[in-house]
C-alpha cells in the first residue's frame, strides 16, 4: 500500500520529514520487531510486576563516548534502582535504538518505538538537532522525551510539555564564561563554534552575556562539522590577523581535538593567546588522548560542578568495571563524565514517576493505533498515561549523583554551579567556581589558592599558553596585519592642535600638532609596539571632507580605527564611539575684552571694606566703649568725672583700640575680658584692611567689559564662536539667536572681529581660549566656564581594547615632564603672559561683613554677657533700694521710678569697697559720706561696726520721729569722722571722742 504522505496541508519541511521517516522506518521496523516482541513476551510473563516499555535513542558508535557512557549508566540505573526498591510494582524494560549520528534515523527510531513498541517515554536523543525532530513526535503521541545531553538553548523555544532536559542548557554556562572575561579585564572575545544547531544555539546567549560585562564580539568564527584540517588552518590564520586574542570554543570533542592540534601547529598556543572551552569539551578531557592534552596546555574551561560524595565515588568505580567488561575493545582509559551522571539520574527520575502512575498502566495504553504495517505519522497512537507521567516527572525531585535533581516549570533542570578548570599536564585542575548568586569565586579548599576572590589577583595559579606566569592582555597588534588607520581632520584654524600639509612635489602628507605629539608620546609609553598611519579626512582636492562629527561617525562605521585630533568628549558622540581619558582641560568659557577698573581716587581708602562692614565696625566701637564705661565707672578713676569727660573718655578708649593706643586703666575682670576679645577683632580687621588696601593701590586690576552671559542675552549683543564646532549648538540651547552668532576661523580672525566691534564676546573651549590669550593676554580675559565638558580625547570604536591602555598611558604622559615640554613647544611658556583667567570683579575685591560676622558675634556675645553679669551683681547688692518701703512722714511707698532713680544715683557713686579707692585721702572719704547721708547704703554701716560706738539707740526705729532719727544719724556720722581724724588715739579715747561728738550734735 502506498503510504499517505502530506495528506494535510503543511510546511514543506514537514512533508520532507514524513517522507524521510516513511522511507527509513520500514527497515527499522522489520529489523527490530522480533527482538521487541520477544522482550515484551518474556517480560509480561511475570504477573507480580507491570512492565513498562521505555525507549533509549543514542549514538552508539564506538568513538562516541556520550552514547556509550549514557547507555551503560541507564542500564546500571535500572538495575540498581529496583535492587534497592524490590517492593515496587513496576519495572522498566529498555528498548535501545542506535541513531548512528543521523537525524532521520533518530526520528525513525522514535516513530518505531512509539508505534510498534508502545514505549511510554524515551531517554534521548543525544544531540540537539535530533531532539528538534523528536520533540514534535513525543508531543503528538504524548510520550515524554527526556534528554540528558541535548543542551542547545533553542530547544526551549519549542515549549513542549513533553520535553524534559535533564542536563544544563548552554545558556547557563555562558554567564560563567563572561565572568572569567570580566575578571581578567578582557574587552573582546571571538566565539569559535561548530556550524550546526549545537554550535549556533549558544552564540546569541554568549554575545549577550559578554555585552553585559562590557566585552565586545568583533567576529564570529563558524567551523563546519565536516571541515578538513586545511580549512581549519585557514580559519585560524584569519584569526591570527586580528587584534583579539581571546577565543571561546564551542565545538564537539572530536572537532576540538583537531582544532587545538592545528592551533598549536600554526603558533596560536603561544604566549598572549587565551582559549576558553565550554562543558561539551571539558567533560571529556579525562578521556582524550594524551597528545590532545599536550596541544591544549593552558586552556581554560567550565564544567558543571558535581559534588564528590561517597555515592559518586563508589558509583564511578562500579561503572568503570562494568564499562571495561562491556567494551574491552576501547583502549583508552574511559572516565565517567557529567552526561553519564545525568543519564543515571534521569533514569531514576523516570522510574520514580512510572511507579507513581502504576495504577494508570494497562494493556491498551495507546489509543488510535492503526495497522502495524503502516508507518504514516497520522496513524501514530496516543499514550493515555503520557499526561500523568509528564506531570509526575515535573514534580519529581531527589538527591541524585549529579546533585539535587529537580525540574523547573519549563522542563529544564535546575541550574547548578560551574567549575573553572585549567588544562595543565595530563589533565585539568579546578581553579575556581561560579554560581548564579555569588558569581566567580576561588576554591578555598585548595591550599595553593589565596584567600582572594578575584581571579586576576591570583592569576599565578592559572597556567597560560606559552607563558605560565603572565596574564594575557587579550589583544595584540598583529605584526603581519595592517597598521592602525588613524583619521585626522583637515582644518584651517587653530593649526597648533592638528595641521595637515601635503608636499606638492613629493605628494607626501605631513601631520603635526599638539594633539599629534601627545598621541605619539602616549604610544611610546605603551608596553608594546603599535604600528599606525595617519589618514587625512579630506576630499581628493585636499579640502576637508566634513566636520568632526562626520569623522567620529566614520570611526563608528569602521572606516577608521582611531581619530586623533582636538576632539571634545561630549555625550552624543559617546553613543557611537569610545573616548580615552582627556588630555586637556575641560569646559566652554566666555572670552571678553578688558578695561581698567578705575578704582584709584581720593576716596580709595574706603574701598577695601564694604559699607555694611564700615557701619558695623563703627557701631561696635560705640558699643564696646559704652560697655567698658559701665563696667569701670564705679571702680576706676579714669572713667569718672563730669559727663562730658566720661563720654569723651569712653569714645577715646574705644577708638584708640584700633591703633592700640589706649592708656586708661581697666580694673574690672569683666571689662578686661571684653577689651581683650575686642582687640583681637580689631587686629584681624586692621590687618585685612591693610592687605586689601595695599593690593588695591599696587596691583593693576582689569575689569571685563561684559559681566556675564545673561547681560549678552538681555542686550542682544553679537557673540562669536569657532566655526564647525559644537559650541554653536550649545549657544542656541542657551538662548542665543542665530542672527546674533558670528563664526570665526582662527584666533586672528577672532581678534579682528573684536577690534572691528562686530562681536562683544566669544565662546569657545578652554584650550582654544588659552591659545588665544597666549597671543593677546593684555587685551582679553576668560571668565569662569559656562559649560562643563570633558576636554579633548582620542576616539576609538566601541569596545576597542586599546582604550584602556591608551588611557593609562595618557595619565603617565600628563603627569610627567614630557607634557610640559609639548605645551611649551606649541603654546609657549606660561610665564610669558600673566594669568588672564578671572571671575567677574564687580565688587573690586572688597572685604564684606560675611567674612567677619563670626568675629563680631563673638565680641558682641562677650560684651553683652559681661554687662549682664555686672548688672545682676549690682542690683542684687543694692536690692533694698528697689524694695518698696513705707515712708514714715508721708506714710506712702516710693514709686518705681523713684526707687530706680535712687539705684542710678548709687551707681554714679564710687564703690568705696573697691581696692582702687582704699588708698585715697580720708577727707575725700568723709566728704563722700557727708554728701550721701540722706541716701546711705546699708553697707556703709557694716564698714564701721568694728568700732565700739553705741549706735543702737540712735538707729532704733522706736526712738522719736524720723527727723530725730536723721539728726542722730548725722551725729553718729560726725562722730565717726572725728574718730577718723584721730587715728593715733587709743580705743578708750576714740570711744569718748565719739560719744562727745554725738552729745554735742
Amino acid at each position: 500500500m502506498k503510504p499517505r504522505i502530506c495528506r494535510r496541508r503543511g510546511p514543506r519541511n514537514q512533508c520532507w520529514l514524513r517522507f524521510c521517516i516513511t522511507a527509513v522506518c520500514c527497515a527499522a521496523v522489520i529489523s527490530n520487531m522480533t527482538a521487541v516482541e520477544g522482550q515484551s513476551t518474556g517480560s509480561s510473563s511475570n504477573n507480580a510486576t507491570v512492565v513498562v516499555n521505555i525507549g533509549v535513542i543514542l549514538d552508539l558508535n564506538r568513538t562516541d563516548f556520550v552514547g556509550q557512557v549514557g547507555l551503560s549508566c541507564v542500564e546500571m540505573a535500572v538495575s540498581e534502582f529496583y535492587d534497592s526498591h524490590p517492593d515496587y510494582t513496576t519495572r522498566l524494560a529498555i528498548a535501545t535504538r542506535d541513531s548512528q549520528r543521523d537525524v532521520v534515523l533518530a526520528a525513525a527510531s522514535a516513530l518505531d518505538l512509539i508505534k510498534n513498541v508502545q514505549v511510554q517515554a524515551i531517554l534521548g536523543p543525544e544531540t540537539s538537532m535530533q531532539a528538534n525532530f523528536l520533540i514534535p513526535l513525543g508531543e503528538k503521541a504524548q510520550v515524554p522525551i527526556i534528554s540528558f545531553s541535548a543542551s542547545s538553548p533553542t530547544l526551549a523555544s519549542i515549549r513542549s510539555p513533553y520535553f524534559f532536559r535533564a542536563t544544563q542548557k548552554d545558556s547557563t554556562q555562558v554567564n560563567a564564561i563572561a565572568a572569567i572575561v570580566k575578571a581578567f579585564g578582557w574587552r573582546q572575545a571571538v566565539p569559535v563554534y561548530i556550524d550546526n544547531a549545537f554550535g549556533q544555539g549558544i552564540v546569541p546567549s554568549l554575545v549577550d552575556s559578554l555585552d553585559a560585562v562590557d566585552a565586545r564580539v568583533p567576529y564570529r568564527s563558524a567551523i563546519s562539522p565536516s571541515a578538513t584540517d586545511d580549512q581549519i588552518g585557514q580559519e585560524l590564520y584569519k584569526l591570527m590577523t586580528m587584534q583579539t586574542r581571546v577565543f571561546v570554543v564551542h565545538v564537539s570533542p572530536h572537532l576540538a581535538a583537531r582544532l587545538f592540534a592545528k592551533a598549536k601547529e600554526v603558533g596560536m598556543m603561544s604566549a598572549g593567546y587565551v582559549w576558553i572551552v565550554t562543558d561539551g569539551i571539558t567533560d571529556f578531557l579525562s578521556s582524550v588522548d594524551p597528545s590532545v592534552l599536550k596541544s591544549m596546555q593552558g586552556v581554560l574551561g567550565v564544567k558543571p560542578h558535581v559534588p564528590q560524595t561517597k555515592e559518586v565515588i563508589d558509583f564511578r568505580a562500579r561503572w568503570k568495571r562494568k564499562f571495561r567488561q562491556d567494551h574491552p575493545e576501547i583502549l583508552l582509559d574511559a572516565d565517567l563524565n557529567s552526561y553519564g551522571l545525568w543519564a543515571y539520574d534521569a533514569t531514576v527520575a523516570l522510574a520514580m514517576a512510572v511507579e507513581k502512575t502504576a495504577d494508570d498502566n494497562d494493556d491498551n495504553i495507546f489509543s488510535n493505533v492503526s495497522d502495524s504495517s503502516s508507518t504514516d505519522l497520522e496513524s501514530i497512537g496516543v499514550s493515555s498515561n503520557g499526561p500523568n507521567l509528564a506531570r509526575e516527572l515535573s514534580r519529581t525531585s531527589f538527591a541524585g549523583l549529579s546533585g539535587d535533581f529537580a525540574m523547573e516549570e519549563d522542563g529544564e533542570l535546575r541550574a547548578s554551579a560551574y567549575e573553572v578548570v585549567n588544562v595543565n599536564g595530563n589533565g585539568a585542575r579546578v581553579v575556581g567556581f561560579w554560581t548564579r548568586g555569588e558569581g566567580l569565586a576561588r576554591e578555598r579548599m585548595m591550599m595553593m589558592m589565596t584567600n582572594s576572590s578575584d581571579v586576576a589577583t591570583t592569576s599565578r595559579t592559572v597556567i597560560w599558553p606559552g607563558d605560565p606566569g603572565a596574564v594575557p592582555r587579550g589583544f595584540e597588534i598583529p605584526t603581519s596585519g595592517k597598521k592602525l588607520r588613524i583619521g585626522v581632520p583637515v582644518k584651517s584654524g587653530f593649526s597648533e592642535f592638528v595641521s595637515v600639509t601635503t608636499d606638492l612635489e613629493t605628494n607626501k602628507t605631513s601631520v603635526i600638532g599638539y594633539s599629534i605629539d601627545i598621541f605619539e608620546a602616549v604610544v611610546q609609553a605603551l608596553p608594546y609596539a603599535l604600528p599606525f598611519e595617519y589618514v587625512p579626512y579630506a576630499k581628493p582636492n585636499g579640502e576637508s571632507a566634513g566636520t568632526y562629527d562626520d569623522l567620529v561617525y566614520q570611526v563608528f562605521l569602521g572606516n577608521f580605527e582611531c581619530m586623533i585630533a582636538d576632539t571634545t568628549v561630549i555625550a552624543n558622540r559617546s553613543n557611537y564611539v569610545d573616548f580615552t581619558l582627556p588630555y586637556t582641560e575641560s569646559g566652554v568659557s566666555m572670552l571678553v575684552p578688558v578695561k581698567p577698573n578705575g578704582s584709584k581716587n581720593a576716596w580709595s581708602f574706603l574701598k577695601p571694606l564694604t559699607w555694611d562692614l564700615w557701619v558695623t565696625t563703627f557701631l561696635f566701637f560705640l558699643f564696646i566703649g559704652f560697655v567698658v564705661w559701665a563696667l569701670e565707672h564705679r571702680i576706676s578713676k579714669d572713667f569718672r568725672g563730669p559727663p562730658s569727660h566720661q563720654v569723651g573718655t569712653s569714645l577715646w578708649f574705644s577708638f584708640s583700640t584700633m591703633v592700640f593706643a589706649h592708656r586708661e586703666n581697666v580694673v574690672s575682670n569683666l571689662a578686661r575680658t571684653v577689651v581683650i576679645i575686642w582687640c583681637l577683632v580689631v587686629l584681624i580687621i586692621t590687618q585685612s584692611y591693610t592687605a586689601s588696601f595695599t593690593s588695591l593701590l599696587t596691583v593693576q586690576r582689569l575689569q571685563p567689559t561684559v559681566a556675564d552671559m545673561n547681560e549678552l542675552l538681555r542686550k542682544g549683543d553679537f557673540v562669536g564662536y569657532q566655526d564647525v564646532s559644537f559650541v554653536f549648538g550649545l549657544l542656541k540651547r542657551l538662548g542665543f539667536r542665530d542672527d546674533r552668532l558670528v563664526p570665526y576661523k582662527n584666533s586672528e580672525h577672532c581678534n579682528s572681529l573684536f577690534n572691528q566691534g562686530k562681536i562683544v564676546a566669544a565662546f569657545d573651549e578652554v584650550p582654544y581660549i588659552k591659545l588665544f590669550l597666549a597671543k593677546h593676554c593684555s587685551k582679553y580675559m576668560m571668565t569662569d566656564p559656562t559649560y562643563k565638558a570633558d576636554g579633548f580625547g582620542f576616539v576609538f570604536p566601541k569596545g576597542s581594547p586599546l582604550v584602556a591602555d591608551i588611557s593609562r598611558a595618557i595619565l603617565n604622559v600628563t603627569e610627567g615632564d614630557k607634557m610640559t615640554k609639548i605645551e611649551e613647544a606649541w603654546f609657549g611658556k606660561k610665564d610669558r603672559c600673566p594669568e588672564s583667567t578671572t571671575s567677574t570683579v564687580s565688587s573690586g575685591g572688597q572685604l564684606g561683613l560675611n567674612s567677619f560676622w563670626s568675629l563680631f558675634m563673638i565680641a558682641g556675645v562677650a560684651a553683652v554677657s559681661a554687662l549682664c553679669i555686672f548688672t545682676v551683681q549690682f542690683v542684687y547688692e543694692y536690692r533694698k533700694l528697689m524694695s518698696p518701703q513705707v515712708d514714715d512722714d508721708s506714710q506712702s511707698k516710693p514709686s518705681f521710678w523713684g526707687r530706680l532713680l535712687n539705684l542710678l544715683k548709687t551707681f554714679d557713686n564710687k564703690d568705696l569697697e573697691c581696692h582702687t579707692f582704699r588708698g585715697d585721702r580720708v577727707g575725700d572719704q568723709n566728704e563722700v559720706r557727708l554728701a550721701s547721708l540722706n541716701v546711705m547704703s546699708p553697707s556703709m554701716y557694716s564698714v564701721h561696726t568694728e568700732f565700739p560706738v553705741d549706735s543702737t539707740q540712735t538707729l532704733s526705729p522706736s526712738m522719736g520721729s524720723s527727723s530725730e532719727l536723721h539728726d542722730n544719724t548725722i551725729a553718729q556720722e560726725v562722730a565717726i569722722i572725728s574718730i577718723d581724724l584721730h587715728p593715733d588715739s587709743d580705743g578708750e579715747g576714740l570711744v569718748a571722742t565719739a560719744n562727745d561728738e554725738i552729745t554735742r550734735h
Side-chain angles (χ1 to χ4, degrees):
M1 181 177 65
K2 183 178 180 180
R4 295 174 294 176
I5 301 177
C6 297
R7 176 176 298 177
R8 297 180 180 177
R9 297 181 63 184
R12 293 182 60 185
N13 57 351
Q14 183 177 358
C15 298
W16 177 83
L17 174 61
R18 293 179 178 176
F19 176 79
C20 294
I21 294 176
T22 304
V24 179
C25 196
C26 294
V29 171
I30 295 174
S31 61
N32 294 290
M33 183 70 71
T34 304
V36 173
E37 290 177 352
Q39 182 179 5
S40 301
T41 304
S43 300
S44 60
S45 59
N46 189 354
N47 296 327
T49 58
V50 177
V51 177
V52 178
N53 295 327
I54 300 297
V56 177
I57 301 176
L58 296 171
D59 298 333
L60 301 179
N61 189 288
R62 53 177 286 177
T63 60
D64 193 322
F65 291 104
V66 175
Q68 295 180 1
V69 172
L71 180 60
S72 62
C73 290
V74 169
E75 293 173 348
M76 292 183 65
V78 172
S79 175
E80 294 178 357
F81 179 79
Y82 290 113
D83 288 345
S84 60
H85 300 86
D87 55 332
Y88 277 18
T89 60
T90 57
R91 293 293 184 272
L92 298 184
I94 304 301
T96 306
R97 297 290 185 270
D98 184 5
S99 61
Q100 301 179 19
R101 294 186 179 180
D102 190 278
V103 175
V104 176
L105 284 179
S109 300
L111 183 60
D112 172 51
L113 291 172
I114 294 174
K115 181 176 176 60
N116 299 323
V117 184
Q118 296 189 354
V119 295
Q120 296 191 29
I122 295 177
L123 289 170
E126 181 176 330
T127 67
S128 299
M129 293 181 294
Q130 295 172 357
N132 198 29
F133 282 91
L134 263 64
I135 292 174
L137 291 177
E139 185 171 7
K140 182 176 180 62
Q142 296 184 0
V143 174
I145 306 295
I146 310 170
S147 176
F148 52 83
S149 58
S151 57
S152 176
T154 58
L155 298 177
S157 61
I158 301 178
R159 299 184 183 278
S160 173
Y162 293 95
F163 175 66
F164 297 90
R165 194 193 326 245
T167 182
Q168 299 292 334
K169 58 183 179 180
D170 292 334
S171 58
T172 58
Q173 64 177 323
V174 297
N175 293 326
I177 295 174
I180 297 175
V181 173
K182 179 181 179 181
F184 287 103
W186 298 321
R187 299 296 303 276
Q188 290 185 352
V190 173
V192 181
Y193 60 94
I194 187 170
D195 194 10
N196 56 20
F198 168 71
Q200 296 170 358
I202 196 176
V203 174
S205 301
L206 179 61
V207 172
D208 292 342
S209 298
L210 291 175
D211 184 67
V213 297
D214 200 20
R216 196 168 65 94
V217 178
Y219 178 73
R220 305 180 187 186
S221 177
I223 300 178
S224 173
S226 58
T228 63
D229 289 347
D230 291 339
Q231 292 173 335
I232 295 175
Q234 292 177 2
E235 185 65 23
L236 292 177
Y237 278 118
K238 184 186 297 185
L239 297 178
M240 290 180 65
T241 62
M242 301 178 183
Q243 297 181 8
T244 307
R245 290 293 183 263
V246 180
F247 306 104
V248 180
V249 182
H250 183 65
V251 297
S252 62
H254 177 69
L255 183 58
R258 298 169 53 206
L259 174 67
F260 283 103
K262 197 67 178 177
K264 184 175 180 62
E265 179 182 337
V266 300
M268 294 184 69
M269 297 303 297
S270 58
Y273 286 90
V274 178
W275 296 88
I276 305 175
V277 297
T278 58
D279 60 354
I281 301 174
T282 53
D283 268 326
F284 298 95
L285 291 177
S286 59
S287 303
V288 299
D289 191 88
S291 61
V292 177
L293 287 177
K294 187 176 180 180
S295 64
M296 295 179 65
Q297 293 298 303
V299 173
L300 286 175
V302 295
K303 59 183 294 186
H305 172 63
V306 177
Q308 295 299 313
T309 60
K310 182 178 183 301
E311 291 77 8
V312 173
I313 297 175
D314 294 343
F315 175 76
R316 191 184 300 273
R318 297 196 308 271
W319 174 87
K320 185 167 290 191
R321 290 194 300 268
K322 182 179 185 302
F323 191 80
R324 289 178 178 176
Q325 294 175 0
D326 296 343
H327 304 279
E329 72 280 3
I330 298 180
L331 301 179
L332 295 177
D333 187 13
D335 194 12
L336 184 64
N337 53 36
S338 300
Y339 294 105
L341 299 178
W342 284 326
Y344 187 96
D345 291 342
T347 306
V348 172
L350 180 59
M352 296 173 64
V354 167
E355 179 65 23
K356 293 178 181 178
T357 60
D359 297 337
D360 300 328
N361 289 287
D362 52 30
D363 296 337
N364 298 322
I365 194 170
F366 278 83
S367 60
N368 301 327
V369 181
S370 63
D371 186 7
S372 61
S373 62
S374 174
T375 58
D376 194 351
L377 290 175
E378 296 181 356
S379 63
I380 191 173
V382 177
S383 174
S384 60
N385 191 36
N388 298 330
L389 187 59
R391 182 175 61 254
E392 292 300 332
L393 278 172
S394 62
R395 297 176 179 175
T396 301
S397 62
F398 60 94
L401 294 178
S402 62
D404 294 334
F405 187 94
M407 290 292 178
E408 296 181 348
E409 295 180 358
D410 56 355
E412 302 286 346
L413 186 65
R414 187 171 299 168
S416 63
Y418 275 86
E419 298 176 356
V420 180
V421 299
N422 182 218
V423 179
N424 183 16
N426 297 325
R429 60 191 179 94
V430 179
V431 294
F433 287 96
W434 178 89
T435 59
R436 178 179 296 182
E438 299 180 0
L440 196 63
R442 306 298 299 166
E443 184 183 13
R444 299 177 181 177
M445 295 181 295
M446 301 179 63
M447 298 302 297
M448 68 186 72
M449 299 296 176
T450 64
N451 292 329
S452 175
S453 62
D454 185 4
V455 172
T457 59
T458 55
S459 57
R460 60 182 178 81
T461 62
V462 178
I463 304 301
W464 303 101
D467 189 357
V471 178
R473 290 193 304 267
F475 77 98
E476 295 287 345
I477 303 300
T479 56
S480 59
K482 60 182 180 180
K483 296 181 179 180
L484 195 70
R485 283 174 52 87
I486 298 177
V488 291
V490 176
K491 54 187 298 187
S492 58
F494 294 97
S495 58
E496 291 84 355
F497 290 94
V498 176
S499 177
V500 180
T501 57
T502 303
D503 191 343
L504 298 179
E505 296 180 358
T506 61
N507 200 25
K508 183 179 179 181
T509 301
S510 174
V511 181
I512 59 175
Y514 172 75
S515 299
I516 301 299
D517 288 354
I518 292 292
F519 176 74
E520 292 178 354
V522 167
V523 171
Q524 293 177 3
L526 292 175
Y528 50 85
L530 181 64
F532 60 88
E533 60 178 350
Y534 296 117
V535 181
Y537 184 54
K539 298 178 181 178
N541 59 2
E543 296 180 357
S544 176
T547 64
Y548 276 37
D549 288 337
D550 296 333
L551 184 52
V552 169
Y553 190 66
Q554 292 298 318
V555 176
F556 169 73
L557 295 178
N559 297 328
F560 296 101
E561 296 169 304
C562 180
M563 174 183 173
I564 304 301
D566 44 342
T567 311
T568 306
V569 182
I570 54 179
N572 62 339
R573 291 174 179 173
S574 64
N575 295 328
Y576 302 94
V577 294
D578 282 345
F579 285 92
T580 62
L581 290 177
Y583 58 90
T584 62
E585 296 180 78
S586 62
V588 175
S589 294
M590 183 173 65
L591 178 69
V592 294
V594 295
K595 62 180 179 180
N597 195 4
S599 59
K600 297 180 181 180
N601 52 51
W603 299 98
S604 297
F605 70 93
L606 295 177
K607 290 186 176 296
L609 305 182
T610 58
W611 68 269
D612 55 346
L613 183 57
W614 279 114
V615 173
T616 304
T617 305
F618 177 76
L619 294 178
F620 257 82
F621 274 120
L622 299 180
F623 176 65
I624 295 299
F626 168 75
V627 172
V628 173
W629 172 83
L631 298 176
E632 294 292 317
H633 176 66
R634 302 188 71 244
I635 60 177
S636 176
K637 297 179 181 179
D638 295 334
F639 291 90
R640 299 192 60 80
S644 59
H645 175 73
Q646 296 184 37
V647 172
T649 301
S650 300
L651 294 178
W652 160 259
F653 176 84
S654 177
F655 283 96
S656 63
T657 57
M658 184 167 52
V659 291
F660 306 101
H662 50 282
R663 298 180 179 180
E664 287 75 14
N665 186 25
V666 179
V667 179
S668 171
N669 289 330
L670 293 176
R672 290 173 178 174
T673 304
V674 173
V675 172
I676 290 174
I677 296 176
W678 175 242
C679 287
L680 177 63
V681 174
V682 171
L683 175 64
I684 295 175
I685 294 177
T686 53
Q687 294 296 326
S688 301
Y689 174 86
T690 303
S692 179
F693 191 46
T694 303
S695 175
L696 180 67
L697 296 178
T698 59
V699 178
Q700 181 184 7
R701 290 181 176 271
L702 299 177
Q703 189 174 20
T705 55
V706 179
D708 53 24
M709 184 184 64
N710 294 327
E711 182 179 345
L712 296 173
L713 291 172
R714 185 173 59 256
K715 294 181 178 180
D717 293 328
F718 289 90
V719 298
Y721 69 95
Q722 186 181 169
D723 197 12
V724 298
S725 172
F726 78 96
V727 177
F728 175 75
L730 172 63
L731 293 177
K732 291 183 63 176
R733 291 195 301 270
L734 292 176
F736 289 93
R737 302 200 313 264
D738 293 355
D739 58 347
R740 297 295 171 179
L741 301 178
V742 181
Y744 56 85
K745 297 290 185 180
N746 47 47
S747 58
E748 290 74 14
H749 188 197
C750 180
N751 184 43
S752 176
L753 293 176
F754 274 117
N755 293 334
Q756 296 173 10
K758 294 183 178 180
I759 59 175
V760 298
F763 288 87
D764 212 334
E765 297 176 72
V766 173
Y768 298 122
I769 295 181
K770 286 194 171 184
L771 179 61
F772 180 87
L773 292 175
K775 303 176 182 179
H776 311 282
C777 58
S778 61
K779 298 169 56 179
Y780 305 93
M781 68 168 48
M782 178 176 61
T783 63
D784 290 335
T786 304
Y787 174 79
K788 294 294 184 180
D790 289 335
F792 295 160
F794 301 134
V795 180
F796 287 88
K798 274 284 188 181
S800 174
L802 288 172
V803 174
D805 288 351
I806 293 293
S807 296
R808 281 190 288 267
I810 287 176
L811 293 178
N812 294 331
V813 172
T814 54
E815 293 175 358
D817 297 334
K818 202 165 189 178
M819 186 73 174
T820 304
K821 296 179 180 179
I822 295 175
E823 289 180 351
E824 292 179 353
W826 288 100
F827 308 139
K829 293 185 178 180
K830 293 184 178 180
D831 56 358
R832 189 177 66 183
C833 184
E835 186 67 32
S836 299
T837 303
T838 181
S839 301
T840 304
V841 292
S842 58
S843 62
Q846 292 179 310
L847 300 175
L849 181 60
N850 292 334
S851 303
F852 302 98
W853 69 268
S854 59
L855 293 176
F856 287 111
M857 182 186 68
I858 295 173
V861 170
V864 172
S865 300
L867 192 61
C868 292
I869 294 173
F870 170 77
T871 303
V872 171
Q873 291 178 345
F874 177 76
V875 173
Y876 179 78
E877 182 178 0
Y878 296 98
R879 60 187 179 277
K880 291 186 177 181
L881 295 178
M882 293 297 296
S883 60
Q885 297 179 354
V886 179
D887 193 341
D888 293 337
D889 295 336
S890 59
Q891 298 297 322
S892 63
K893 297 180 180 179
S895 65
F896 171 78
W897 296 109
R899 296 194 303 272
L900 182 60
L901 182 59
N902 292 336
L903 186 65
L904 293 177
K905 289 180 179 180
T906 304
F907 169 77
D908 189 51
N909 295 331
K910 292 181 180 180
D911 187 359
L912 297 179
E913 294 182 358
C914 181
H915 65 279
T916 57
F917 295 116
R918 290 177 183 174
D920 291 351
R921 292 182 298 110
V922 177
D924 293 340
Q925 295 179 352
N926 296 334
E927 181 182 355
V928 173
R929 292 172 184 171
L930 292 175
S932 57
L933 285 175
N934 54 342
V935 191
M936 183 173 289
S937 169
S939 62
M940 292 185 179
Y941 294 105
S942 62
V943 173
H944 304 283
T945 52
E946 61 188 20
F947 299 105
V949 181
D950 190 10
S951 58
T952 53
Q953 299 297 327
T954 318
L955 300 177
S956 175
S958 61
M959 294 181 63
S961 62
S962 59
S963 58
E964 294 177 352
L965 176 62
H966 181 68
D967 294 339
N968 291 335
T969 304
I970 294 175
Q972 181 184 7
E973 185 64 22
V974 172
I976 296 173
I977 294 173
S978 299
I979 293 175
D980 291 337
L981 294 176
H982 303 84
D984 296 333
S985 301
D986 55 3
E988 295 179 357
L990 292 177
V991 172
T993 302
N995 290 330
D996 293 340
E997 291 294 334
I998 292 173
T999 303
R1000 186 170 61 87
H1001 285 283

